[in-house]
Amino acid sequence: MTPSKVAWEPVIGLETHVQLGTNSKIFTSASTAFGDDPNTHIDPVVCGLPGTLPVLNEKVLEYAVKAAMALNLQIAEHSKFDRKQYFYPDLPKNYQISQFDEPIAEDGWIEVEVAEKGKDTYIKKIGIERLHMEEDAGKLVHAGSDRLAGSTHSLVDYNRAGVALAEIVSMPDLRTGREAAEYASEIRRIMRYLGVSDGNMQEGSLRCDVNISVRPGPNEPFGTKVEIKNMNSFSAIQKACEYEIQRQIKAYEAGEAVIQETRLWDEAKQLTKSMRSKEGSSDYRYFPDPDLGPIEVSKELRDIWHTELPELPAEKRHRYADQFGLSQYDARVLTDEFSMAHYFERVVGAGVDPKSASNWITGDVAAFVNLQKLTYSQLPLKAEQLAEMIQMIENGVISGKIAKEILPELLTKGGSPKLIVEKRGLGMISDPEILSSIVDELLATFPTEVEAFRGGKTKLQGFFVGQLMKKTSGKADPRLANQILSKKLKA
Amino acid sequence: MSHITSDDVRKVAKLARLKLDQEEVEKYTNQLEQILGYFEHLEDVDTSNVDPTTRAVEVVNRVRTDTVKTSQFREDLLDQAPHREGDFYRVPKILSD
């Protein structure tokens, strides 16, 4: 067998760091605000001065446990914090408070829907090894160069140091770049549904490191693992994986070895490149942090937090398909953001047919919301008002065309569709007598065409419909108007 | 019986970013050897019926509320560093060429 015939199988696992959206840091009351002047949010605990005592933020524990529950993880009876020692200027204490052998939660899974253009959408269960709490490090600015290598010195900002993180480690269950990106995006979606993180990748509140290797077949031992960092979008995760899979396959097929190392994704060049390693950084000498007591989440507390969990994205996707008969695609679009799903559910709750609601929301409404960069709660058109408009169509009060006509005003200003229709005189003409007389007038205006129609050019029906709509500014009830028109033309 | 070798001391010193000369390595190897020897006495105690613990006081779930307080020590904390540059801490070149 030639090497190119080998069916290489990529094996991918993700380590996701999620910044928990608390107001204060994980072990001290310094603010977690983003974007302030450097070192605004430091205090003696952040800087690890002798004699200071870190105390766990109760909200961090709550958010971590809720996140763990949403990822179907088992919450530990007993959990503790450890010190991970390494020297690097982004770490003020020279150790990071993290969790080593007793994380807050282990052994879970999530369901990921993998959709890619031109391919069948499928659902895959991805195992999650663990979730643990830890503190974030500070940020370095490298001076004299845009990169670490070549810089003359570095500047350190500890605003981010000590911000609470949940690190979520997946099992090596992912097989393609697309799966990796979908997994990361589902993690983000779940965290946003829970309200425990904004998941903003640009600001670094959600960061993914990828572990990736390839092997010559599904039952072969894992190949050498390479870690990739520095992806700041889901598409970057996908592309970095795809690039790295090809790079490793090429190396093996050329008879070269793949080295265990950390590589950085270069967004501009669309490739991964070797990162110069921090020397001697691999011996972390974890030991229990003597400043922090152990954590035991009681069953009572777990039960309370569990009842506070919202319906999660995967549950919503299934329900929208099963209960509302929506397509997989529509269910996916509507549930992507919690606020959109909530808006949709309120429209449906007002008695609107779910498919009509879905069409309007995923169409014109979503286009407006995205264009204006709004959230659904900021949208002037309230769910009840949209429901009213859709019901006016369903009840034959206005046509779809008229609805499109009043929609821009509704989207930008909100208001009652009924009042707008009344005010602008846009109600549908569905009185048969009125329509009859309009049709009579119309036929009198176009005697030649009427004769042609009656002579066999039945295609002219469309012409008459068009003229009728023009005459009534689109307000004629289309079905009724057509009926009357047909009858009179054939008479 | 030997608990610690000069190689161990060199490794620990390297991880702790301490620069030791040969004389110091020998000195600390001997001292640490003695210290670890004292600890060996603990092995005389029968702990077969005692659960392992990482702390002396049995306290669980010590937490604080999520409230923000601005530290009054920002300037002091910045001034304390060997090198300050504006609002930043300045550190030497991280990677050697």
Side-chain angles (χ1 to χ4, degrees):
Chain A
M1 206 205 284
T2 59
S4 59
K5 293 259 179 67
V6 174
W8 294 99
E9 186 192 50
V11 176
I12 307 169
L14 258 67
E15 285 172 21
T16 310
H17 288 89
V18 179
Q19 260 184 18
L20 299 176
T22 54
N23 298 321
S24 65
K25 294 188 176 181
I26 180 169
F27 298 120
T28 181
S29 47
S31 166
T32 57
F34 178 84
D36 285 322
D37 286 342
N39 294 303
T40 303
H41 308 304
I42 56 173
D43 66 16
V45 177
V46 171
C47 295
L49 294 200
T52 54
L53 195 65
V55 183
L56 179 63
N57 182 339
E58 63 183 2
K59 212 73 188 163
V60 170
L61 181 63
E62 177 187 331
Y63 284 180
V65 170
K66 283 182 174 174
M69 285 172 170
L71 305 174
N72 302 296
L73 289 148
Q74 305 299 312
I75 310 301
E77 301 269 329
H78 184 95
S79 177
K80 69 171 167 66
F81 285 100
D82 301 279
R83 292 185 181 180
K84 177 180 180 179
Q85 344 271 328
Y86 63 91
F87 275 86
Y88 204 65
D90 64 3
L91 205 60
K93 304 189 290 292
N94 293 330
Y95 62 85
Q96 177 193 28
I97 305 177
S98 181
Q99 298 197 283
F100 181 49
D101 54 344
E102 292 185 10
I104 187 70
E106 288 180 285
D107 191 20
W109 54 270
I110 58 166
E111 186 191 286
V112 174
E113 195 176 286
V114 188
E116 195 164 11
K117 246 196 189 133
K119 291 180 187 168
D120 286 340
T121 297
Y122 59 94
I123 285 172
K124 188 167 176 178
K125 201 169 153 177
I126 305 299
I128 296 182
E129 188 186 314
R130 58 185 275 162
L131 176 148
H132 69 255
M133 299 175 275
E134 63 183 27
E135 56 179 349
D136 209 342
K139 261 187 185 162
L140 296 174
V141 181
H142 304 300
S145 168
D146 59 340
R147 291 179 48 212
L148 179 53
S151 63
T152 54
H153 62 279
S154 298
L155 301 175
V156 195
D157 173 8
Y158 287 133
N159 280 347
R160 205 181 63 183
V163 170
L165 296 177
E167 179 176 332
I168 299 161
V169 183
S170 87
M171 299 293 285
D173 290 347
L174 302 156
R175 293 291 173 269
T176 65
R178 184 69 199 173
E179 285 184 9
E182 292 277 21
Y183 164 84
S185 119
E186 185 71 5
I187 293 279
R188 176 181 186 267
R189 203 173 287 126
I190 292 170
M191 297 304 136
R192 288 171 60 90
Y193 264 59
L194 293 171
V196 304
S197 175
D198 64 17
N200 186 330
M201 292 182 90
Q202 252 64 40
E203 290 181 7
S205 7
L206 186 118
R207 306 193 286 274
C208 293
D209 299 339
V210 166
N211 285 306
I212 184 164
S213 63
V214 298
R215 57 180 170 179
N219 298 315
E220 303 290 329
F222 290 159
T224 304
K225 184 169 78 174
V226 169
E227 186 180 19
I228 322 173
K229 292 176 181 282
N230 203 36
M231 291 80 70
N232 65 358
S233 69
F234 297 122
S235 85
I237 292 173
Q238 177 171 349
K239 285 184 201 144
C241 288
E242 287 167 355
Y243 175 88
E244 186 60 22
I245 290 166
Q246 290 312 314
R247 188 190 71 84
Q248 292 185 15
I249 291 174
K250 270 185 208 145
Y252 284 126
E253 294 191 339
E256 293 160 15
V258 167
I259 308 157
Q260 183 164 354
E261 61 176 345
T262 299
R263 298 176 72 87
L264 292 181
W265 171 247
D266 185 329
E267 181 69 30
K269 295 189 182 138
Q270 299 278 299
L271 49 81
T272 66
K273 55 190 180 190
S274 188
M275 186 173 113
R276 290 182 63 188
S277 62
K278 318 171 196 170
E279 33 181 318
S281 62
S282 56
D283 190 348
Y284 293 129
R285 293 152 296 145
Y286 282 98
F287 69 82
D289 192 311
D291 288 341
L292 288 153
I295 306 295
E296 286 171 7
V297 184
S298 67
K299 189 176 178 303
E300 291 72 28
L301 201 49
R302 265 181 291 173
D303 289 346
I304 292 169
W305 285 342
H306 196 264
T307 61
E308 290 172 3
L309 298 182
E311 184 183 31
L312 294 165
E315 295 166 340
K316 274 202 197 294
R317 289 196 294 265
H318 289 303
R319 186 163 66 85
Y320 285 14
D322 299 344
Q323 185 185 333
F324 297 145
L326 297 184
S327 71
Q328 205 174 20
Y329 177 80
D330 285 343
R332 183 180 160 92
V333 172
L334 285 167
T335 55
D336 187 44
E337 282 285 339
F338 181 78
S339 67
M340 189 181 194
H342 183 64
Y343 188 86
F344 166 74
E345 286 176 25
R346 278 171 52 206
V347 173
V348 172
V352 170
D353 167 55
K355 280 184 191 164
S356 307
S358 168
N359 288 341
W360 283 98
I361 295 171
T362 60
D364 297 70
V365 177
F368 180 78
V369 165
N370 294 337
L371 189 71
Q372 303 291 324
K373 296 193 165 57
L374 296 174
T375 65
Y376 281 82
S377 53
Q378 293 168 328
L379 180 65
L381 175 62
K382 300 298 157 211
E384 294 69 27
Q385 297 166 341
L386 178 63
E388 188 180 299
M389 189 197 82
I390 300 172
Q391 279 168 329
M392 287 169 79
I393 305 168
E394 286 174 353
N395 297 334
V397 180
I398 55 170
S399 63
K401 190 169 167 286
I402 294 295
K404 292 252 183 195
E405 212 169 285
I406 61 169
L407 196 61
E409 179 180 339
L410 283 168
L411 286 168
T412 47
K413 293 187 207 147
S416 159
K418 262 183 202 149
L419 286 179
I420 292 173
V421 166
E422 264 171 43
K423 203 174 62 193
R424 291 170 44 176
L426 294 171
M428 199 139 75
I429 305 168
S430 43
D431 183 330
E433 271 180 42
I434 297 175
L435 282 173
S436 276
S437 67
I438 296 172
V439 170
D440 287 341
E441 276 173 44
L442 194 69
L443 300 189
T445 321
F446 297 102
T448 330
E449 285 78 3
V450 173
E451 208 167 307
F453 181 93
R454 289 178 179 154
K457 286 189 87 175
T458 48
K459 269 193 203 157
L460 280 168
Q461 170 107 9
F463 165 78
F464 287 109
V465 173
Q467 289 300 322
L468 181 75
M469 284 301 172
K470 201 172 157 194
K471 209 170 160 59
T472 58
S473 316
K475 291 186 291 181
D477 179 329
R479 234 179 50 201
L480 193 59
N482 244 319
Q483 272 174 16
I484 294 171
L485 192 63
S486 296
K487 216 166 82 187
K488 289 199 185 269
L489 275 170
K490 283 169 193 156
Chain B
M1 162 188 169
S2 172
H3 300 91
I4 191 161
T5 65
S6 53
D7 281 345
D8 292 330
V9 171
R10 272 192 209 95
K11 186 186 168 197
V12 171
K14 188 179 178 221
L15 290 170
R17 301 297 187 272
L18 296 173
K19 195 174 179 180
L20 303 183
D21 59 30
Q22 185 52 33
E23 199 178 313
E24 286 168 318
V25 168
E26 278 164 28
K27 182 172 137 194
Y28 292 132
T29 307
N30 287 331
Q31 287 184 354
L32 286 167
E33 177 62 34
Q34 281 179 35
I35 291 167
L36 292 173
Y38 298 140
F39 276 95
E40 207 168 47
H41 291 303
L42 291 172
E43 289 184 7
D44 296 341
V45 184
D46 178 9
T47 56
S48 53
N49 290 320
V50 181
D51 285 336
T53 182
T54 52
R55 61 199 71 252
V57 189
E58 286 303 319
V59 194
V60 296
N61 302 340
R62 289 296 289 269
V63 292
R64 40 170 269 275
T65 56
D66 181 27
T67 42
V68 171
K69 266 199 303 218
T70 303
S71 170
Q72 48 181 319
F73 299 117
R74 177 182 186 238
E75 284 303 313
D76 294 334
L77 289 166
L78 278 164
D79 283 338
Q80 233 179 12
H83 301 287
R84 174 179 175 171
E85 190 172 312
D87 289 335
F88 286 103
Y89 291 102
R90 181 186 167 131
V91 295
K93 182 156 75 174
I94 293 166
L95 287 180
S96 50
D97 293 318

